[in-house]
């Protein structure tokens, strides 16, 4: 019985294998592959710790209305009060509970990271897959567009676009997504250029499969590793970008709480020297969330590395 030999790190789809005359159990093979990935990821202790921390932050953001002791915009009457039994992290200069605002800010910052990445990964994946698979003048045109987007200094472009479009959560997400897709497109294009030369793709072409079926059903699933890694690091970068813009006063605007504008409100000398509860908690949570996401990205990259032998 003939068999379909694949390059390292690729997995043929069941219909391709069936068309080639090979007899395997694709469901078992796929389950074993993802089980191996999970085992490798579990061996990465920092990645597991990052996943736990990120899961906790997501849970906090979902349960914010129930676990926050106060409304984030409620003026309690205690102005710039130090931490106490009533206000565990104190209050800001306006009299709002810092812990409540920190909890609700988690929603905003995580939303920026997740939604931004979803947008630009979807766009970049489709554009890069089309460029890599079709080739020719389409590939050349897309590459020139990517070069144009990547030639501008990102910070300057972000500041200009935010100034033109206006501040706010939705505009921040749009601007960050607009600048994020070219890197994903270039990454996916390189993976597709490699994968389209594999035997299982050539077998699909011989069986008469359409381009869209080959790209989205068979090629992209085998390029999932680099895309996932890029998405995790991109989420961390988006959170940092939003925090930076909000700190500069060009991101999420008060009274909506975000980690960045909480730091912005605490940049006076008085707050820095005698009111550390105003800037230490949001600063620490930014560091913790970004480190956690980066550790998860490292774990995914190591787990899906085809050169690594399973334990």
């Amino acid at each position: 019985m003939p068999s379909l030999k694949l390059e390292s790190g690729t997995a043929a789809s069941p219909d391709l294998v069936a068309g080639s005359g090979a007899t395997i159990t694709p469901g078992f093979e796929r389950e074993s592959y993802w089980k191996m990935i999970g085992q490798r990821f579990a061996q990465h202790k920092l990645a597991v710790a990052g996943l736990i921390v990120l899961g906790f932050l997501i849970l906090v953001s979902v349960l914010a209305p129930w676990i926050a002791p106060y409304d984030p915009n409620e003026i309690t009457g205690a102005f710039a009060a130090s931490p106490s039994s009533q206000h565990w992290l104190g209050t800001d200069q306006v009299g709002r509970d810092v812990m409540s605002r920190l909890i609700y800010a988690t929603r905003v910052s995580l939303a920026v990271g997740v939604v931004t990445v979803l947008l630009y990964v979807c766009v970049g994946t489709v554009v890069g897959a089309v460029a890599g698979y079709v080739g020719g003048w389409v590939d050349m045109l897309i590459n020139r567009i990517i070069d144009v987007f990547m030639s501008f200094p990102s910070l300057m472009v972000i500041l200009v676009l935010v100034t033109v479009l206006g501040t706010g959560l939705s505009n921040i997400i749009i601007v960050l997504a607009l600048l994020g897709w070219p890197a994903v497109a270039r990454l996916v294009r390189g993976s597709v250029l490699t994968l389209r030369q594999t035997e299982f793709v050539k077998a699909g072409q011989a069986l008469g499969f359409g381009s869209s079926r080959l790209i989205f059903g068979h090629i992209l699933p085998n390029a999932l590793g680099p895309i996932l890694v890029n998405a995790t690091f991109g989420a961390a970068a988006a959170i940092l970008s939003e925090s930076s813009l909000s700190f500069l006063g060009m991101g999420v605007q008060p009274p909506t709480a975000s980690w960045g504008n909480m730091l912005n409100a605490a940049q006076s000398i008085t707050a820095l020297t005698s009111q550390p509860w105003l800037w230490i908690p949001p600063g620490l949570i930014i560091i913790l969330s970004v480190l956690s996401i980066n550790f998860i990205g490292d774990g995914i990259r190591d787990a899906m590395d085809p050169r690594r032998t399973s334990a």
Side-chain angles (χ1 to χ4, degrees), residues 10-273:
T10 61
S13 298
D15 45 2
L16 290 183
V17 176
S20 67
T23 56
I24 64 171
T25 53
F28 175 77
E29 292 292 333
R30 186 172 301 174
E31 180 181 353
S32 299
Y33 172 74
W34 287 110
K35 182 178 179 180
M36 178 187 67
I37 296 299
Q39 290 173 343
R40 290 179 176 179
F41 185 88
Q43 293 172 1
H44 200 297
K45 296 181 179 179
L46 288 176
V48 173
L51 187 61
I52 293 172
V53 171
L54 182 61
F56 174 75
L57 292 176
I58 293 174
L59 185 64
V60 166
S61 67
V62 171
L63 300 178
W66 295 276
I67 64 177
Y70 298 89
D71 184 276
N73 300 323
E74 178 185 352
I75 299 176
T76 63
F79 302 102
S82 59
S84 63
S85 58
Q86 291 184 333
H87 304 284
W88 288 7
L89 295 179
T91 62
D92 60 13
Q93 294 93 334
V94 185
R96 298 169 297 192
D97 184 70
V98 173
M99 183 174 180
S100 299
R101 290 184 63 77
L102 191 66
I103 290 173
Y104 274 87
T106 304
R107 281 183 157 190
V108 174
S109 297
L110 290 183
V112 170
V114 172
V115 178
T116 299
V117 166
L118 283 177
L119 286 176
Y120 79 65
V121 165
C122 289
V123 173
T125 299
V126 172
V127 172
V130 170
Y133 187 82
V134 175
W137 68 268
V138 174
D139 184 30
M140 182 183 67
L141 177 61
I142 292 176
N143 268 309
R144 298 296 76 79
I145 295 175
I146 291 174
D147 290 338
V148 170
F149 270 86
M150 299 187 73
S151 64
F152 293 106
S154 57
L155 180 59
M156 183 183 298
V157 174
I158 289 173
L159 294 176
V160 171
L161 290 178
V162 169
T163 303
V164 173
L165 297 176
T167 57
L169 181 60
S170 58
N171 287 340
I172 295 299
I173 291 174
I174 292 172
V175 169
L176 295 178
L178 184 65
L179 296 177
W181 72 267
V184 178
R186 179 161 288 181
L187 176 68
V188 173
R189 172 186 174 272
S191 297
V192 172
L193 284 174
T194 302
L195 289 169
R196 75 176 185 178
Q197 303 301 325
T198 55
E199 294 182 9
F200 76 90
V201 173
K202 294 180 180 178
Q205 293 171 338
L207 291 171
F209 290 175
S211 298
S212 59
R213 182 176 180 181
L214 283 172
I215 293 173
F216 297 104
H218 307 298
I219 295 179
L220 285 183
N222 285 289
L224 191 60
I227 297 173
L228 287 176
V229 174
N230 182 277
T232 53
F233 293 140
I239 290 174
L240 281 177
S241 297
E242 181 278 322
S243 299
S244 301
L245 288 171
S246 297
F247 177 77
L248 295 173
M250 302 186 68
V252 178
Q253 298 298 301
T256 303
S258 78
W259 297 333
N261 64 28
M262 290 180 71
L263 288 175
N264 175 272
Q267 57 180 320
S268 66
I269 297 298
T270 302
L272 291 175
T273 56

